[in-house]
Amino acid sequence: MSRLGKTGRAAVAFLLLAGLQRGVSLLILPFITLAMSPAEYGAASILTASSLLLVAVVAAPLEQLVFRASAREDEDAPALIRTAGAYCYIGLPAIAGLSAVVVALVQPELFGISGRIWAIEVLAIGFQPAATYFALPCVRARQDLRKFVWLALTSVVFTAGSKLIFIVILELGVLGWAISDLISGVLSALIAILAVRLPRARITWRRVRYVLNFSLPLIPHRASFWALLSLSRPAMATVTTLTQVGLLSFGLNLASVASMIVTEIQQAVLPRYSRERFPAPTDETKTPVRIQLVVAVAVPAIVGAGIAIAGQWVFAASYWQSFALTGILLCGQAAWGLYLIPMNYLVQAAGRPKFSALASMSGAAVIMLGIFTAGARFGALGAAFATTSGFIVMAVVALILTRLLHLDIRWRTWSACWPEVLIGTISLGLSVAALSLPIGSLISYGFAAATIILATGATVSTLRRRSPAEIDAEQ
């Protein structure tokens, strides 16, 4: 068995498990939509979106540092990993506990959600990064499949089980949502501590300073990324009804199936970018970029086709009007997939996170402006157009940054894959059309079927193509 074949099978295993771990909330979404009204779901989505913002500020920037240190394994790596791990395992839970007490005592109702529920969610935030932003990146970068299986599957069980118990069975609504987040966060953190022990290394101020210097510039980037994904929910709540917020949130969750798959492919290739040298590309990133270019458009197309075919049979009728805006949001997911490529070269390969926030902040600004104009006037549909526009701006600015910072990247290397990218783009257009047509119509089904054929063909053609280096490795 060739090393290339083993690597490919390991990558598929990581992709499937991580996709299941990230997508568990989507798997139980049909049950959630039956147990919660669009207004309740909108309130719960605001809670989750606000939680994601806090995590983006206090923990998410560490993920790329942990991934880079674990993949490179240089002499400073153990100390850097221990510093980040101690913060996630000990520091954040303590800070969250104190903050939750303060919130419970002084926070009045906000966005229609009581201070007690907000306090539970704040406490849950302190436990979530241990697995998500420390343990999982560690084992993923080290290609430790056994531990990754353990972490991912237990996370799936905790998340799905607690949501079904407290929301579907006990019918606790938004309160049940927050309790579920807390229970799954605590249990996942305990499993992370058992699975990924901190290395024996001394934490010095020099290492702490390096962690801060690498991570702090990424806070605006991750906060802006939160804005791109989640700002629309609380912002929409200020200009329209919770029902419109719920419809938009439902569309965003459906579209996030595409971003979940694209993100897992991104995670699989991150070690390659971390080992890349300039001028780029070397053999480390030639194939990953080719695959990312095609799946960025093909995956959202296939997701949209699946919704057009099966959505009416899976979800409650009160949510069907979200299908059309989901097609618009899927175009934004395609732009997100393209954005990842220049950002990987900027942060992982070049190690220059200082200006990384410019792209995501530009996109967030477009989304904010669009929500308060198009969202206020056209509701969830207007917000969907604003969100997609923000992703497109983000991708363009990220590419411009690689030029302005003089990264030596030969983009013409991938010109040969333009047929697959073009076919994938056409299939995405057909997918959007299928979602915009009357639900269950023959024309909609025809467009969806054509989408699946074209997008699958483009993806298979890309995966079958071999570079000279890969051919030599197989021989």
Side-chain angles (χ1 to χ4, degrees):
M1 183 185 297
S2 69
R3 185 178 66 86
L4 191 63
K6 291 180 180 179
T7 302
R9 277 183 279 277
V12 171
F14 277 115
L15 176 62
L16 293 176
L17 286 167
L20 179 62
Q21 188 254 340
R22 291 178 184 266
V24 60
S25 297
L26 297 171
L27 293 176
I28 63 174
L29 188 58
F31 303 100
I32 298 297
T33 57
L34 292 174
M36 302 179 78
S37 68
E40 286 181 311
Y41 188 66
S45 299
I46 292 172
L47 195 70
T48 299
S50 303
S51 170
L52 289 174
L53 170 61
L54 291 176
V55 173
V57 172
V58 303
L62 289 173
E63 180 182 23
Q64 288 171 288
L65 171 69
V66 172
F67 215 115
R68 196 168 191 266
S70 299
R72 286 178 174 258
E73 296 184 340
D74 53 29
E75 60 178 324
D76 286 335
L80 296 177
I81 293 171
R82 183 176 181 83
T83 301
Y87 174 70
C88 291
Y89 285 173
I90 302 171
L92 275 178
I95 295 171
L98 293 175
S99 301
V101 172
V102 174
V103 170
L105 293 176
V106 305
Q107 175 63 55
E109 182 177 287
L110 181 64
F111 297 127
I113 304 170
S114 71
R116 179 185 58 168
I117 296 177
W118 281 110
I120 296 172
E121 192 67 28
V122 168
L123 184 58
I125 289 169
F127 294 95
Q128 293 168 0
T132 304
Y133 295 116
F134 179 73
L136 282 169
C138 272
V139 298
R140 186 69 174 268
R142 295 167 180 168
Q143 299 291 293
D144 190 336
L145 184 58
R146 183 180 61 84
K147 288 185 177 179
F148 191 86
V149 169
W150 179 240
L151 287 166
L153 290 183
T154 53
S155 175
V156 168
V157 172
F158 297 151
T159 301
S162 60
K163 284 285 191 298
L164 291 174
I165 290 172
F166 290 102
I167 298 174
V168 179
I169 298 176
L170 299 181
E171 299 182 346
L172 294 181
V174 182
L175 174 61
W177 191 284
I179 295 174
S180 167
D181 286 345
L182 176 59
I183 291 177
S184 61
V186 170
L187 294 177
S188 295
L190 291 175
I191 296 297
I193 292 172
L194 293 174
V196 181
R197 303 295 179 90
L198 300 183
R200 295 181 180 275
R202 184 183 177 190
I203 299 177
T204 64
W205 174 243
R206 182 175 71 86
R207 270 61 178 265
V208 172
R209 188 168 60 246
Y210 181 89
V211 171
L212 293 174
N213 289 338
F214 190 96
S215 301
L216 289 179
L218 290 171
I219 289 179
H221 164 65
R222 297 307 292 252
S224 299
F225 176 64
W226 164 85
L228 287 161
L229 293 178
S230 306
L231 178 64
S232 49
R233 296 167 171 92
M236 279 283 287
T238 65
V239 298
T240 187
T241 65
L242 282 178
T243 297
Q244 287 295 307
V245 176
L247 293 174
L248 175 64
S249 181
F250 181 74
L252 285 167
N253 282 333
L254 290 183
S256 71
V257 175
S259 67
M260 178 190 70
I261 297 171
V262 171
T263 299
E264 291 311 322
I265 294 173
Q266 150 83 355
Q267 292 290 93
V269 300
L270 267 186
R272 305 283 291 271
Y273 282 100
S274 297
R275 295 190 294 265
E276 180 62 288
R277 297 291 184 268
F278 293 96
T282 67
D283 288 336
E284 289 287 354
T285 59
K286 282 181 182 178
T287 298
V289 170
R290 187 181 74 235
I291 293 173
Q292 285 182 288
L293 285 171
V294 176
V295 300
V297 289
V299 168
I302 294 173
V303 169
I307 296 170
I309 293 172
Q312 62 177 318
W313 309 108
V314 176
F315 303 108
S318 57
Y319 289 87
W320 289 359
Q321 55 188 301
S322 290
F323 293 165
L325 62 90
T326 300
I328 299 167
L329 292 167
L330 285 169
C331 295
Q333 300 303 312
W336 153 252
L338 296 175
Y339 153 85
L340 292 172
I341 297 170
M343 288 303 295
N344 284 340
Y345 280 116
L346 180 64
V347 176
Q348 297 301 129
R352 300 174 67 178
K354 184 176 181 180
F355 300 101
S356 60
L358 291 177
S360 48
M361 288 178 68
S362 299
V366 170
I367 290 178
M368 176 69 81
L369 178 62
I371 291 232
F372 288 111
T373 53
R377 183 173 181 181
F378 302 106
L381 186 63
F385 276 107
T387 303
T388 293
S389 299
F391 278 111
I392 293 172
V393 168
M394 184 173 66
V396 172
V397 174
L399 181 60
I400 293 174
L401 279 175
T402 63
R403 299 284 188 176
L404 293 179
L405 296 176
H406 305 293
L407 299 188
D408 191 357
I409 305 171
R410 296 184 291 268
W411 295 107
R412 291 184 179 180
T413 302
W414 299 284
S415 59
C417 68
W418 72 264
E420 289 92 345
V421 174
L422 177 61
I423 293 172
T425 303
I426 293 172
S427 68
L428 178 59
L430 292 173
S431 179
V432 174
L435 289 169
S436 302
L437 291 167
I439 298 171
S441 66
L442 291 178
I443 299 178
S444 175
Y445 285 153
F447 279 3
T451 294
I452 294 174
I453 293 171
L454 291 175
T456 302
T459 304
V460 170
S461 175
T462 301
L463 294 176
R464 287 173 60 90
R465 184 182 296 180
R466 293 285 186 267
S467 68
E470 290 172 323
I471 294 173
D472 291 342
E474 290 181 339
Q475 295 175 345

